Amino acid sequence: MDWQVHRREAHALGRTQEYLKQIVYGGNDGIVTTFAIVAGFAGAAAEGVAQIGGLAVLVFGLANLFADAVSMGLGEFLSLRSQHDLYRSRRESELREIMRNPQQEQMELFEILRQRGLPAGEADTTAAILARHPEMMADLMMTYEFGMQDPDEENPALNGLFTFGAFVVFGAIPLLPYFIYEPTGRTFMMSLATTFSALVALGLLRWNATGEKLLRSVGETVLVGTVCALVAFAVGWIVGG
C-alpha cells in the first residue's frame, strides 16, 4: 500500500500539512530576514529613511532574499539527507546487536513495552514474538529506544524546494512597498504593515493545517517575527546612530 496516497485520500492530509514544517520554517525566516534588511536600513538612517535609496533597499533585500532562500533550501536538503544516513547507520547497528545478543535486546524491548503501559505478561509475550522478526524489532527499537522516526518517506529534494519556495514567497512581502513607492518614512510603515500581514497569514496557514487554537497559532508566529524585527531595527539604529 502507498501510505502517502492513503493518508491524502483516507485522512485528507494535504500538501500543506505534509510540508507544514518547511513552509512555516521557510516562510517565517523569509519574512523576518527580509524585513531585517528594511528595518536595518530604516534604523541606520540618521535623519529618516528617505536618506536610503529605494534601489539600495531592493538590491540588498532581493540579494539577501534569494541567497538565504537557496541556503535554506539546500540546508534542508542536506539536513534530511543526513537524517537518512544516520537512521540507516543506527538501524544497521541495532540489527547487529539483535543478532549478537538477542536476549538482551528482547529484555530491552520488554522494558519499553512495559513502560508504555502493557502488563508484564503481555509485554513478555509481545517481545518474544517480535524477537522472531528482527527487522520489525529493529524498527520498534529505533522509535522507542532512540526516538528516531524512519525518514524514508520524506523526500529531501521536495523538502528543500518547499523551504525555498516558502522563503521566497513570504520573504518578498516586506519589499513590496519599495517596488511601488519612494523610500520615505511612510513607505517603511507600509512595509511594517505588509510584514505584519504576512506573519498573520503564515499563522493562519499554520492554524488551518494543525487545527490548534487560532490565537496561539497566529500569536506565536507574529510574536517571533516582531521580536526579530525589533532586534534588526535596534541594531541598525545603534550602528547608524
Side-chain angles (χ1 to χ4, degrees):
M1 178 182 289
D2 188 328
W3 290 106
Q4 286 188 327
V5 173
H6 172 74
R7 286 194 294 268
R8 292 191 196 113
E9 294 179 352
H11 301 287
L13 183 66
R15 288 286 187 181
T16 301
Q17 292 164 311
E18 278 191 72
Y19 295 98
L20 182 63
K21 174 190 170 185
Q22 288 73 32
I23 294 171
V24 172
Y25 182 46
N28 184 76
D29 205 47
I31 295 168
V32 170
T33 300
T34 308
F35 183 73
I37 298 294
V38 175
F41 271 121
E47 296 179 3
V49 75
Q51 290 186 348
I52 304 296
L55 182 60
V57 176
L58 288 176
V59 167
F60 279 96
L62 288 173
N64 186 76
L65 174 67
F66 282 96
D68 277 3
V70 171
S71 176
M72 289 277 292
L74 291 177
E76 178 68 21
F77 171 79
L78 291 175
S79 174
L80 189 52
R81 284 290 293 269
S82 299
Q83 278 185 268
H84 281 215
D85 294 340
L86 177 61
Y87 184 91
R88 283 193 291 266
S89 173
R90 183 63 260 176
R91 188 175 182 276
E92 288 173 4
S93 177
E94 185 64 22
L95 278 170
R96 288 194 297 270
E97 287 295 323
I98 292 172
M99 297 300 180
R100 184 164 49 239
N101 195 352
Q103 291 184 338
Q104 175 62 31
E105 294 299 312
Q106 183 176 331
M107 180 58 66
E108 290 179 11
L109 182 58
F110 164 77
E111 287 296 331
I112 287 171
L113 295 172
R114 193 175 60 81
Q115 289 173 6
R116 295 189 69 83
L118 279 183
E122 293 182 13
D124 185 53
T125 301
T126 304
I129 293 171
L130 289 170
R132 298 198 293 269
H133 304 276
E135 295 282 343
M136 187 179 297
M137 185 177 179
D139 289 338
L140 286 172
M141 297 297 280
M142 289 299 296
T143 299
Y144 296 122
E145 182 180 6
F146 297 102
M148 299 176 68
Q149 299 295 326
D150 187 353
D152 279 350
E153 290 189 1
E154 294 189 79
N155 187 313
L158 278 178
N159 279 23
L161 187 61
F162 269 88
T163 302
F164 171 84
F167 194 102
V168 170
V169 170
F170 283 96
I173 294 175
L175 292 174
L176 291 179
Y178 289 90
F179 280 101
I180 304 171
Y181 303 104
E182 291 296 319
T184 64
R186 181 171 176 271
T187 309
F188 174 68
M189 295 307 296
M190 292 175 65
S191 178
L192 182 63
T194 57
T195 299
F196 178 80
S197 299
L199 289 169
V200 171
L202 188 62
L204 288 172
L205 187 149
R206 176 186 167 194
W207 165 72
N208 182 64
T210 64
E212 293 292 335
K213 292 182 179 178
L214 177 62
L215 184 61
R216 177 191 169 192
S217 295
V218 176
E220 284 182 347
T221 306
V222 172
L223 178 62
V224 170
T226 300
V227 169
C228 295
L230 288 174
V231 170
F233 184 86
V235 170
W237 180 78
I238 292 170
V239 174

